Amino acid sequence: MSSTHREIKAAAQLIREGKLVAMPTETVYGLGANALDPMAVSRIFESKERPSFDPLIVHICDLAMAESLVEEFDPRAQALAEAYWPGPLTLILPKSELIPDIVSSGLPTVGLRMPNHPIALELIKQSTCPIAAPSANKFGRVSPTQAKHVAKQLDMVEAILDGGGATVGIESTIVALTDEGFEVLRPGAITPEMIAETLKPLTDLKTREVQGSHNHKVEAPGMLDSHYSPNKPLYIVSKEEILQAAEGGQISLPHQGLVETKQCGLIHLDLPAELNYGQIYQPASNLSEFAIQLFSSIHYFEDSELGFILVQEIPEEGIGVAIMDRLKKAAFRFT
Ligand code: TXA
Ligand code: MG
């Protein structure tokens, strides 16, 4: 059940006191602290066992708050904010002096996002400060899309607000606005095509997509080879391999040799429900549903008796780019 107004108010008080609060957003649950309080922010890094070179996204509840945290909210940022906020888009902009170095890992920029979830927006508003929040999981592990996934991984958190299951299911698109144009640092539900379309009318500004222009000495988790990693082997398999293995009852996996399909949990897109596998996660019938269920299903199989997690390879188009990005990183250390 969703957290009540009273619980949100109490959580806002904790934020003001420098404590950690997990909050629901439409992408994944975040582990929040007062973004203007370096001591509070340091607890986020400690709780997540996150390296300090990895900067945090700052969550805001209105445009005035966003504008106070950056040097300039240029017309490109305004157009994107108008089109996609509240929503799954993080904008990297030159930061104002209000943002402590620990938040930006010493970078001159800050990532800002207005989450599309009433509980997150209410929490920020009641806290009267921006909230720095990475995904509420241990560093490198699978992001939480339900309140119970947060409790499973983190103990150093004062309160967990429950806002039900995430409605997007994968982390926000991260876009840097640079002097050359815009650069997608992490793919998400908002695609480069959508961003280009929104920026098109601003002909006098740098509105084309560029790559490698953003001088991020940071390795975004989206850029590390291994991330989103489950506690048991995960493999990406083609539709043909899935159907063939179901028929023979065995599948050949890297480093494992032949494995019984009944030892495998299967996450797939629109295949028959009666395939011969250990368990089949609730089938998704389109890419958006697949994204919504992906991390939940991995958490579910992490907690099951099954030895392996198989995920169907999906087309890299639209949100499929972001899904395959997360899957390749989740599978990296097993292949
Ligand atoms: O959907 C989301 O973005 C979720 C929810 C909670 O809002 N948050 C999230 O945070 O995914 P996290 O910490 O897992 O990923 C944040 C990433 C950093 O790893 C970094 O790559 C990038 O955002 N980032 C933050 N500030 C940056 C900056 N100033 N320059 C470049 N990248 C930055
Ligand atoms: Mg994360």
Side-chain angles (χ1 to χ4, degrees):
M1 225 188 56
S2 247
S3 292
T4 60
H5 191 67
R6 233 170 109 155
E7 286 165 328
I8 300 170
K9 235 174 133 173
Q13 178 61 29
L14 291 170
I15 292 282
R16 282 194 299 273
E17 288 167 5
K19 308 263 171 53
L20 301 184
V21 173
M23 65 176 183
T25 84
E26 79 281 29
T27 57
V28 299
Y29 275 69
L31 179 63
N34 179 353
L36 307 181
D37 176 350
M39 278 303 291
V41 172
S42 74
R43 290 194 186 100
I44 294 179
F45 286 91
E46 198 185 328
S47 168
K48 271 188 66 107
E49 297 165 21
R50 178 181 177 111
S52 62
F53 64 75
D54 192 4
L56 304 178
I57 293 171
V58 174
H59 297 72
I60 43 103
C61 63
D62 55 45
L63 282 182
M65 200 181 247
E67 281 164 15
S68 73
L69 302 174
V70 295
E71 244 169 43
E72 197 205 343
F73 205 70
D74 82 22
R76 294 175 300 179
Q78 282 173 27
L80 291 171
E82 196 175 310
Y84 302 114
W85 279 358
L89 180 71
T90 296
L91 295 175
I92 307 291
L93 296 163
K95 75 180 183 81
S96 79
E97 279 171 8
L98 281 178
I99 299 286
D101 279 341
I102 186 170
V103 170
S104 61
S105 300
L107 291 172
T109 51
V110 64
L112 294 184
R113 177 166 112 79
M114 191 189 294
N116 188 16
H117 196 293
I119 293 181
L121 291 172
E122 184 65 21
L123 178 69
I124 301 164
K125 197 167 164 203
Q126 298 265 348
S127 304
T128 64
C129 61
I131 294 186
S135 50
N137 49 279
K138 290 275 191 210
F139 183 72
R141 300 291 308 281
V142 181
S143 300
T145 52
Q146 296 174 31
K148 68 176 183 202
H149 302 154
V150 179
K152 175 175 141 183
Q153 289 194 28
L154 300 179
D155 35 35
M156 246 185 82
V157 50
E158 219 72 33
I160 299 175
L161 293 175
D162 192 342
T167 54
V168 173
I170 51 175
E171 301 84 351
S172 62
T173 305
I174 301 180
V175 173
L177 296 173
T178 71
D179 291 342
E180 286 80 41
F182 76 87
E183 180 170 3
V184 175
L185 302 184
R186 180 176 71 185
I190 294 172
T191 62
E193 294 77 27
M194 291 162 75
I195 293 164
E197 189 60 31
T198 305
L199 295 181
K200 211 158 71 182
L202 305 176
T203 44
D204 53 334
L205 281 156
K206 299 293 181 189
T207 55
R208 65 197 175 100
E209 187 181 8
V210 291
Q211 265 156 31
S213 78
H214 187 66
N215 184 18
H216 35 93
K217 64 178 193 297
V218 214
E219 300 256 318
M223 289 166 195
L224 297 172
D225 287 334
S226 178
H227 206 72
Y228 315 105
S229 185
N231 66 359
K232 57 183 69 164
L234 179 147
Y235 299 96
I236 304 170
V237 282
S238 69
K239 180 178 167 182
E240 292 70 37
E241 273 179 286
I242 292 171
L243 295 171
Q244 227 175 46
E247 217 174 279
Q250 284 188 322
I251 186 163
S252 170
L253 298 174
H255 311 297
Q256 314 288 345
L258 275 182
V259 164
E260 308 268 301
T261 51
K262 64 172 188 283
Q263 287 187 53
C264 303
L266 176 65
I267 301 167
H268 70 87
L269 184 67
D270 224 11
L271 292 178
E274 63 281 1
L275 290 176
N276 175 20
Y277 282 88
Q279 278 183 55
I280 300 201
Y281 204 77
Q282 189 184 350
S285 57
N286 59 51
L287 287 183
S288 299
E289 270 178 37
F290 195 92
I292 292 171
Q293 294 173 13
L294 180 63
F295 289 147
S296 283
S297 29
I298 296 175
H299 278 290
Y300 177 81
F301 286 135
E302 271 196 340
D303 301 340
S304 78
E305 301 287 305
L306 296 164
F308 307 94
I309 305 173
L310 304 184
V311 192
Q312 182 182 344
E313 184 176 21
I314 52 140
E316 290 190 60
E317 58 200 40
I319 197 175
V321 174
I323 295 172
M324 284 304 290
D325 167 76
R326 307 306 192 273
L327 280 178
K328 285 176 196 162
K329 280 161 185 118
F332 184 81
R333 71 187 177 98
F334 307 111
T335 45

